[in-house]
Amino acid sequence: MGGKSCRSALCALCSGRRARRQRRELIAALRASRPRYALLWTYTLASTPDAALGPLIGNLAELHAAVNASGWLSSKVDGYARVVEIERPDSGWHPHGHELFIFKKHLSRAEAQTFAVALRDRYLSAAARLGIPASAAGQHVRVVPLDQLDVAARYITKQHITTGPKAGTRTLAMLSADAFTRGDADALALIHEAEAATYRRQLWRVSGACKSPVLFNASRRT
């Protein structure tokens, strides 16, 4: 690579650089916006062994769009950071979403619980209506303490950075390391499948209070 950035999704180095930049920008935005409440939503599909990655990511995107029909979700929050994370357990592909919601006003415990239940119910109802397998056990909404927003930002930007062992599950960064450092042909095939499945898909998105106010040099290749 010679120190240059190829910007390929196959490149563990460039993907890691991009993830670290996203992390810096999100943390800067959270510190500048001074939210009064934050929630972290994890949404998943039911396990489907041997399913191709592309259709699974498509199903996840379709469910999220159904939840936000008529702007239901985006109208309730002051900002969000959303990532579709892709993992490869021994049983097959496991794409899932993590979304950090920022509120400029404080929510009571009852208000937060009402939002969480409505969010989960809309997701599961959409899955049933669209015929997409999803279990209630795989959906979680939890409060993020304001003094742990940096921790949440690191959590949802870890996809291309985490390279440590994870009990039979490999992230894209781990697959890249296996493919390009260890010469693992099976890992390389999975990485190529992931690149094809994610082509022209926006796996990372921020809006509102989660958008960094800092103007970064757009011409800089990171």
PDB file of all heavy atoms in Angstrom, residues 20-29 211-220 222:
ATOM      1  N   ARG A  20     -12.260   5.388  12.128  1.00  0.00           N
ATOM      2  CA  ARG A  20     -11.717   6.277  13.162  1.00  0.00           C
ATOM      3  C   ARG A  20     -12.100   7.731  12.900  1.00  0.00           C
ATOM      4  O   ARG A  20     -12.355   8.499  13.834  1.00  0.00           O
ATOM      5  CB  ARG A  20     -10.201   6.102  13.257  1.00  0.00           C
ATOM      6  CG  ARG A  20      -9.793   4.847  14.015  1.00  0.00           C
ATOM      7  CD  ARG A  20      -8.296   4.785  14.227  1.00  0.00           C
ATOM      8  NE  ARG A  20      -7.597   4.405  12.999  1.00  0.00           N
ATOM      9  CZ  ARG A  20      -7.357   3.144  12.641  1.00  0.00           C
ATOM     10  NH1 ARG A  20      -7.768   2.145  13.382  1.00  0.00           N
ATOM     11  NH2 ARG A  20      -6.694   2.887  11.523  1.00  0.00           N
ATOM     12  N   ARG A  21     -12.149   8.130  11.609  1.00  0.00           N
ATOM     13  CA  ARG A  21     -12.588   9.481  11.292  1.00  0.00           C
ATOM     14  C   ARG A  21     -14.052   9.670  11.661  1.00  0.00           C
ATOM     15  O   ARG A  21     -14.434  10.693  12.238  1.00  0.00           O
ATOM     16  CB  ARG A  21     -12.398   9.759   9.793  1.00  0.00           C
ATOM     17  CG  ARG A  21     -12.691  11.225   9.411  1.00  0.00           C
ATOM     18  CD  ARG A  21     -12.833  11.400   7.915  1.00  0.00           C
ATOM     19  NE  ARG A  21     -14.042  10.784   7.415  1.00  0.00           N
ATOM     20  CZ  ARG A  21     -14.083   9.887   6.441  1.00  0.00           C
ATOM     21  NH1 ARG A  21     -12.985   9.453   5.860  1.00  0.00           N
ATOM     22  NH2 ARG A  21     -15.242   9.382   6.039  1.00  0.00           N
ATOM     23  N   GLN A  22     -14.881   8.691  11.343  1.00  0.00           N
ATOM     24  CA  GLN A  22     -16.300   8.759  11.714  1.00  0.00           C
ATOM     25  C   GLN A  22     -16.461   8.863  13.220  1.00  0.00           C
ATOM     26  O   GLN A  22     -17.311   9.604  13.719  1.00  0.00           O
ATOM     27  CB  GLN A  22     -17.031   7.527  11.174  1.00  0.00           C
ATOM     28  CG  GLN A  22     -17.136   7.493   9.658  1.00  0.00           C
ATOM     29  CD  GLN A  22     -17.533   6.132   9.121  1.00  0.00           C
ATOM     30  OE1 GLN A  22     -17.489   5.129   9.838  1.00  0.00           O
ATOM     31  NE2 GLN A  22     -17.920   6.088   7.854  1.00  0.00           N
ATOM     32  N   ARG A  23     -15.639   8.129  13.946  1.00  0.00           N
ATOM     33  CA  ARG A  23     -15.684   8.164  15.411  1.00  0.00           C
ATOM     34  C   ARG A  23     -15.336   9.548  15.925  1.00  0.00           C
ATOM     35  O   ARG A  23     -16.029  10.098  16.784  1.00  0.00           O
ATOM     36  CB  ARG A  23     -14.721   7.118  15.976  1.00  0.00           C
ATOM     37  CG  ARG A  23     -14.599   7.120  17.476  1.00  0.00           C
ATOM     38  CD  ARG A  23     -13.677   6.006  17.961  1.00  0.00           C
ATOM     39  NE  ARG A  23     -14.264   4.695  17.717  1.00  0.00           N
ATOM     40  CZ  ARG A  23     -13.679   3.545  18.078  1.00  0.00           C
ATOM     41  NH1 ARG A  23     -12.498   3.563  18.677  1.00  0.00           N
ATOM     42  NH2 ARG A  23     -14.274   2.401  17.835  1.00  0.00           N
ATOM     43  N   ARG A  24     -14.260  10.144  15.413  1.00  0.00           N
ATOM     44  CA  ARG A  24     -13.860  11.488  15.855  1.00  0.00           C
ATOM     45  C   ARG A  24     -14.958  12.507  15.583  1.00  0.00           C
ATOM     46  O   ARG A  24     -15.264  13.356  16.421  1.00  0.00           O
ATOM     47  CB  ARG A  24     -12.567  11.909  15.145  1.00  0.00           C
ATOM     48  CG  ARG A  24     -11.323  11.166  15.571  1.00  0.00           C
ATOM     49  CD  ARG A  24     -10.064  11.879  15.071  1.00  0.00           C
ATOM     50  NE  ARG A  24     -10.051  12.034  13.625  1.00  0.00           N
ATOM     51  CZ  ARG A  24      -9.520  11.156  12.776  1.00  0.00           C
ATOM     52  NH1 ARG A  24      -8.985  10.038  13.236  1.00  0.00           N
ATOM     53  NH2 ARG A  24      -9.524  11.385  11.479  1.00  0.00           N
ATOM     54  N   GLU A  25     -15.545  12.440  14.391  1.00  0.00           N
ATOM     55  CA  GLU A  25     -16.571  13.414  14.020  1.00  0.00           C
ATOM     56  C   GLU A  25     -17.829  13.249  14.877  1.00  0.00           C
ATOM     57  O   GLU A  25     -18.450  14.234  15.269  1.00  0.00           O
ATOM     58  CB  GLU A  25     -16.909  13.265  12.540  1.00  0.00           C
ATOM     59  CG  GLU A  25     -15.758  13.661  11.624  1.00  0.00           C
ATOM     60  CD  GLU A  25     -16.092  13.469  10.150  1.00  0.00           C
ATOM     61  OE1 GLU A  25     -17.208  12.976   9.842  1.00  0.00           O
ATOM     62  OE2 GLU A  25     -15.249  13.806   9.302  1.00  0.00           O
ATOM     63  N   LEU A  26     -18.209  11.991  15.163  1.00  0.00           N
ATOM     64  CA  LEU A  26     -19.395  11.761  15.987  1.00  0.00           C
ATOM     65  C   LEU A  26     -19.175  12.248  17.407  1.00  0.00           C
ATOM     66  O   LEU A  26     -20.048  12.905  17.992  1.00  0.00           O
ATOM     67  CB  LEU A  26     -19.746  10.271  15.980  1.00  0.00           C
ATOM     68  CG  LEU A  26     -20.936   9.865  16.851  1.00  0.00           C
ATOM     69  CD1 LEU A  26     -22.191  10.648  16.492  1.00  0.00           C
ATOM     70  CD2 LEU A  26     -21.186   8.361  16.748  1.00  0.00           C
ATOM     71  N   ILE A  27     -18.025  11.957  17.977  1.00  0.00           N
ATOM     72  CA  ILE A  27     -17.737  12.415  19.341  1.00  0.00           C
ATOM     73  C   ILE A  27     -17.736  13.942  19.405  1.00  0.00           C
ATOM     74  O   ILE A  27     -18.283  14.540  20.338  1.00  0.00           O
ATOM     75  CB  ILE A  27     -16.387  11.837  19.822  1.00  0.00           C
ATOM     76  CG1 ILE A  27     -16.536  10.331  20.076  1.00  0.00           C
ATOM     77  CG2 ILE A  27     -15.924  12.542  21.098  1.00  0.00           C
ATOM     78  CD1 ILE A  27     -15.244   9.635  20.441  1.00  0.00           C
ATOM     79  N   ALA A  28     -17.162  14.593  18.376  1.00  0.00           N
ATOM     80  CA  ALA A  28     -17.164  16.058  18.343  1.00  0.00           C
ATOM     81  C   ALA A  28     -18.588  16.593  18.280  1.00  0.00           C
ATOM     82  O   ALA A  28     -18.935  17.578  18.952  1.00  0.00           O
ATOM     83  CB  ALA A  28     -16.357  16.557  17.139  1.00  0.00           C
ATOM     84  N   ALA A  29     -19.442  15.958  17.491  1.00  0.00           N
ATOM     85  CA  ALA A  29     -20.830  16.401  17.362  1.00  0.00           C
ATOM     86  C   ALA A  29     -21.587  16.232  18.664  1.00  0.00           C
ATOM     87  O   ALA A  29     -22.355  17.114  19.074  1.00  0.00           O
ATOM     88  CB  ALA A  29     -21.525  15.615  16.250  1.00  0.00           C
ATOM     89  N   LYS A 211     -24.389  15.185  13.669  1.00  0.00           N
ATOM     90  CA  LYS A 211     -23.567  15.619  12.546  1.00  0.00           C
ATOM     91  C   LYS A 211     -22.521  16.596  13.058  1.00  0.00           C
ATOM     92  O   LYS A 211     -22.848  17.590  13.696  1.00  0.00           O
ATOM     93  CB  LYS A 211     -24.434  16.276  11.471  1.00  0.00           C
ATOM     94  CG  LYS A 211     -23.944  16.083  10.073  1.00  0.00           C
ATOM     95  CD  LYS A 211     -25.032  16.415   9.075  1.00  0.00           C
ATOM     96  CE  LYS A 211     -24.675  15.866   7.716  1.00  0.00           C
ATOM     97  NZ  LYS A 211     -25.733  16.116   6.738  1.00  0.00           N
ATOM     98  N   SER A 212     -21.282  16.323  12.747  1.00  0.00           N
ATOM     99  CA  SER A 212     -20.200  17.136  13.287  1.00  0.00           C
ATOM    100  C   SER A 212     -20.251  18.570  12.769  1.00  0.00           C
ATOM    101  O   SER A 212     -20.411  18.798  11.574  1.00  0.00           O
ATOM    102  CB  SER A 212     -18.845  16.519  12.934  1.00  0.00           C
ATOM    103  OG  SER A 212     -17.798  17.353  13.389  1.00  0.00           O
ATOM    104  N   PRO A 213     -20.100  19.559  13.672  1.00  0.00           N
ATOM    105  CA  PRO A 213     -20.065  20.954  13.248  1.00  0.00           C
ATOM    106  C   PRO A 213     -18.706  21.350  12.683  1.00  0.00           C
ATOM    107  O   PRO A 213     -18.536  22.416  12.131  1.00  0.00           O
ATOM    108  CB  PRO A 213     -20.331  21.711  14.557  1.00  0.00           C
ATOM    109  CG  PRO A 213     -19.750  20.816  15.612  1.00  0.00           C
ATOM    110  CD  PRO A 213     -20.012  19.406  15.131  1.00  0.00           C
ATOM    111  N   VAL A 214     -17.719  20.470  12.834  1.00  0.00           N
ATOM    112  CA  VAL A 214     -16.366  20.765  12.366  1.00  0.00           C
ATOM    113  C   VAL A 214     -16.281  20.521  10.870  1.00  0.00           C
ATOM    114  O   VAL A 214     -16.724  19.493  10.370  1.00  0.00           O
ATOM    115  CB  VAL A 214     -15.336  19.871  13.104  1.00  0.00           C
ATOM    116  CG1 VAL A 214     -13.925  20.209  12.615  1.00  0.00           C
ATOM    117  CG2 VAL A 214     -15.457  20.069  14.602  1.00  0.00           C
ATOM    118  N   LEU A 215     -15.730  21.461  10.121  1.00  0.00           N
ATOM    119  CA  LEU A 215     -15.565  21.312   8.688  1.00  0.00           C
ATOM    120  C   LEU A 215     -14.221  20.640   8.416  1.00  0.00           C
ATOM    121  O   LEU A 215     -13.164  21.243   8.594  1.00  0.00           O
ATOM    122  CB  LEU A 215     -15.624  22.681   7.992  1.00  0.00           C
ATOM    123  CG  LEU A 215     -16.977  23.383   8.086  1.00  0.00           C
ATOM    124  CD1 LEU A 215     -16.881  24.756   7.419  1.00  0.00           C
ATOM    125  CD2 LEU A 215     -18.076  22.557   7.435  1.00  0.00           C
ATOM    126  N   PHE A 216     -14.254  19.406   8.020  1.00  0.00           N
ATOM    127  CA  PHE A 216     -13.025  18.681   7.704  1.00  0.00           C
ATOM    128  C   PHE A 216     -12.667  18.948   6.231  1.00  0.00           C
ATOM    129  O   PHE A 216     -13.525  19.216   5.409  1.00  0.00           O
ATOM    130  CB  PHE A 216     -13.224  17.183   7.930  1.00  0.00           C
ATOM    131  CG  PHE A 216     -13.335  16.839   9.391  1.00  0.00           C
ATOM    132  CD1 PHE A 216     -14.558  16.921  10.049  1.00  0.00           C
ATOM    133  CD2 PHE A 216     -12.217  16.442  10.108  1.00  0.00           C
ATOM    134  CE1 PHE A 216     -14.662  16.608  11.385  1.00  0.00           C
ATOM    135  CE2 PHE A 216     -12.316  16.118  11.442  1.00  0.00           C
ATOM    136  CZ  PHE A 216     -13.538  16.207  12.084  1.00  0.00           C
ATOM    137  N   ASN A 217     -11.414  18.816   5.944  1.00  0.00           N
ATOM    138  CA  ASN A 217     -10.918  19.036   4.585  1.00  0.00           C
ATOM    139  C   ASN A 217     -11.451  17.930   3.686  1.00  0.00           C
ATOM    140  O   ASN A 217     -11.043  16.782   3.766  1.00  0.00           O
ATOM    141  CB  ASN A 217      -9.383  19.012   4.573  1.00  0.00           C
ATOM    142  CG  ASN A 217      -8.823  19.369   3.221  1.00  0.00           C
ATOM    143  OD1 ASN A 217      -9.568  19.434   2.238  1.00  0.00           O
ATOM    144  ND2 ASN A 217      -7.529  19.614   3.169  1.00  0.00           N
ATOM    145  N   ALA A 218     -12.400  18.288   2.818  1.00  0.00           N
ATOM    146  CA  ALA A 218     -13.059  17.286   1.979  1.00  0.00           C
ATOM    147  C   ALA A 218     -12.100  16.651   0.981  1.00  0.00           C
ATOM    148  O   ALA A 218     -12.341  15.558   0.487  1.00  0.00           O
ATOM    149  CB  ALA A 218     -14.232  17.936   1.238  1.00  0.00           C
ATOM    150  N   SER A 219     -11.004  17.339   0.681  1.00  0.00           N
ATOM    151  CA  SER A 219     -10.081  16.797  -0.319  1.00  0.00           C
ATOM    152  C   SER A 219      -9.090  15.820   0.299  1.00  0.00           C
ATOM    153  O   SER A 219      -8.381  15.134  -0.408  1.00  0.00           O
ATOM    154  CB  SER A 219      -9.286  17.950  -0.968  1.00  0.00           C
ATOM    155  OG  SER A 219      -8.465  18.587  -0.014  1.00  0.00           O
ATOM    156  N   ARG A 220      -9.077  15.749   1.624  1.00  0.00           N
ATOM    157  CA  ARG A 220      -8.124  14.855   2.276  1.00  0.00           C
ATOM    158  C   ARG A 220      -8.594  13.417   2.147  1.00  0.00           C
ATOM    159  O   ARG A 220      -9.722  13.091   2.481  1.00  0.00           O
ATOM    160  CB  ARG A 220      -7.997  15.228   3.749  1.00  0.00           C
ATOM    161  CG  ARG A 220      -6.956  14.391   4.486  1.00  0.00           C
ATOM    162  CD  ARG A 220      -6.902  14.794   5.947  1.00  0.00           C
ATOM    163  NE  ARG A 220      -5.935  13.979   6.681  1.00  0.00           N
ATOM    164  CZ  ARG A 220      -5.752  14.059   7.982  1.00  0.00           C
ATOM    165  NH1 ARG A 220      -6.460  14.917   8.687  1.00  0.00           N
ATOM    166  NH2 ARG A 220      -4.859  13.286   8.574  1.00  0.00           N
ATOM    167  N   THR A 222      -8.840   9.917   3.481  1.00  0.00           N
ATOM    168  CA  THR A 222      -8.599   9.215   4.739  1.00  0.00           C
ATOM    169  C   THR A 222      -9.240   7.858   4.701  1.00  0.00           C
ATOM    170  O   THR A 222     -10.079   7.591   3.857  1.00  0.00           O
ATOM    171  CB  THR A 222      -9.187  10.013   5.905  1.00  0.00           C
ATOM    172  OG1 THR A 222     -10.584  10.225   5.664  1.00  0.00           O
ATOM    173  CG2 THR A 222      -8.497  11.341   6.084  1.00  0.00           C
TER     174      THR A 222
END
